[in-house]
Amino acid sequence: QQPVQSPQAVILREGEDAVINCSSSKALYSVHWYRQKHGEAPVFLMILLKGGEQKGHEKISASFNEKKQQSSLYLTASQLSYSGTYFCGTEDNQFYFGTGTSLTVIP
Amino acid sequence: NAGVTQTPKFQVLKTGQSMTLQCAQDMNHNSMYWYRQDPGMGLRLIYYSASEGTTDKGEVPNGYNVSRLNKREFSLRLESAAPSQTSVYFCASSMLTGTGAPEQYFGPGTRLTVT
């Protein structure tokens, strides 16, 4: 039931864009996105509910397609502060975090 | 507000020893969670408590017990530690659990090594 994320890791230069995907084998009612910096606790970014809406958080936005059981996180014009591991999270009686995507932004 | 606090921050145990990890939140949240995080495995739910007085097993409950002491506190106990329980343990809380539940707030984590 753990959602699968792709890619596993990505390296970007400042200003470049990235997309992180999250796929579930089960029907999705909502998707959470979190970011975890090295040695720290995960921090909530956004939640998307059924309806395919796209939500934004500064230059980080996400979409949710419940029919495809997928969500994507879009990072535009990346900054050094975006580095970290990104996790999606889904609910199915209990909460499951995805496998994680390590994102490194270099100058 | 301190948010979610965990003690201890670090712990080294010998195989077979027992210990309790403590977690407290001051946000008046109903739901609390215990996760473990291993390299390459992401975060996996051990136990959760949807509300005071209730606890449920998560994905990886074997070898652990929990107590929801009151609305604020949720403890995790290892009765007989094993090297496979070496991990980083995170406590989290949210206002609700279940479908459409809002964001979870995480504590700073406990790094546990079992030798």
Side-chain angles (χ1 to χ4, degrees):
Chain A
Q1 290 106 338
Q2 184 178 30
V4 176
Q5 291 181 229
S6 62
Q8 281 186 304
V10 59
I11 299 174
L12 300 173
R13 290 199 180 276
E14 269 187 296
E16 291 183 336
D17 302 339
V19 180
I20 299 172
N21 299 303
C22 173
S23 296
S24 174
S25 59
K26 296 210 164 189
L28 295 176
Y29 300 98
S30 67
V31 177
H32 295 213
W33 285 96
Y34 291 78
R35 177 171 64 205
Q36 183 178 30
K37 292 187 180 284
H38 183 69
E40 298 180 7
V43 174
F44 174 80
L45 290 176
M46 66 188 75
I47 182 172
L48 299 100
L49 303 177
K50 282 180 72 171
E53 61 183 297
Q54 188 155 346
K55 300 197 78 173
H57 180 268
E58 297 178 344
K59 294 180 181 176
I60 302 175
S61 61
S63 63
F64 177 28
N65 186 326
E66 66 263 25
K67 286 184 181 176
K68 292 186 177 179
Q69 297 169 193
Q70 290 177 347
S71 177
S72 295
L73 187 72
Y74 306 93
L75 299 99
T76 57
S78 58
Q79 306 168 14
L80 295 176
S81 62
Y82 287 2
S83 292
T85 301
Y86 290 78
F87 293 98
C88 64
T90 62
E91 302 160 70
D92 175 23
N93 294 321
Q94 60 179 265
F95 199 82
Y96 293 93
F97 276 96
T99 48
T101 296
S102 173
L103 184 118
T104 304
V105 181
I106 58 176
Chain B
N1 285 350
V4 180
T5 57
Q6 291 183 235
T7 54
K9 285 189 167 53
F10 301 92
Q11 184 71 50
V12 179
L13 290 178
K14 293 186 186 301
T15 298
Q17 288 184 319
S18 62
M19 78 161 297
T20 300
L21 281 64
Q22 307 286 353
C23 173
Q25 51 91 10
D26 62 1
M27 295 174 283
N28 201 34
H29 284 170
N30 293 304
S31 303
M32 297 185 74
Y33 313 80
W34 275 106
Y35 293 92
R36 60 178 289 172
Q37 185 171 33
D38 305 300
M41 297 294 292
L43 292 126
R44 292 182 292 169
L45 184 64
I46 305 171
Y47 272 93
Y48 66 102
S49 171
S51 60
E52 187 179 352
T54 69
T55 60
D56 287 285
K57 294 178 180 179
E59 191 183 352
V60 288
N62 291 345
Y64 306 95
N65 285 302
V66 290
S67 296
R68 183 74 183 266
L69 304 169
N70 48 54
K71 192 171 186 178
R72 289 188 63 247
E73 298 171 289
F74 189 38
S75 63
L76 178 73
R77 182 160 178 83
L78 287 71
E79 291 291 351
S80 179
S84 60
Q85 293 178 305
T86 293
S87 188
V88 180
Y89 291 85
F90 287 101
C91 176
S93 71
S94 67
M95 182 56 69
L96 297 169
T97 191
T99 302
E103 65 268 31
Q104 296 180 29
Y105 294 81
F106 283 80
T110 295
R111 294 183 181 277
L112 176 68
T113 302
V114 183
T115 60

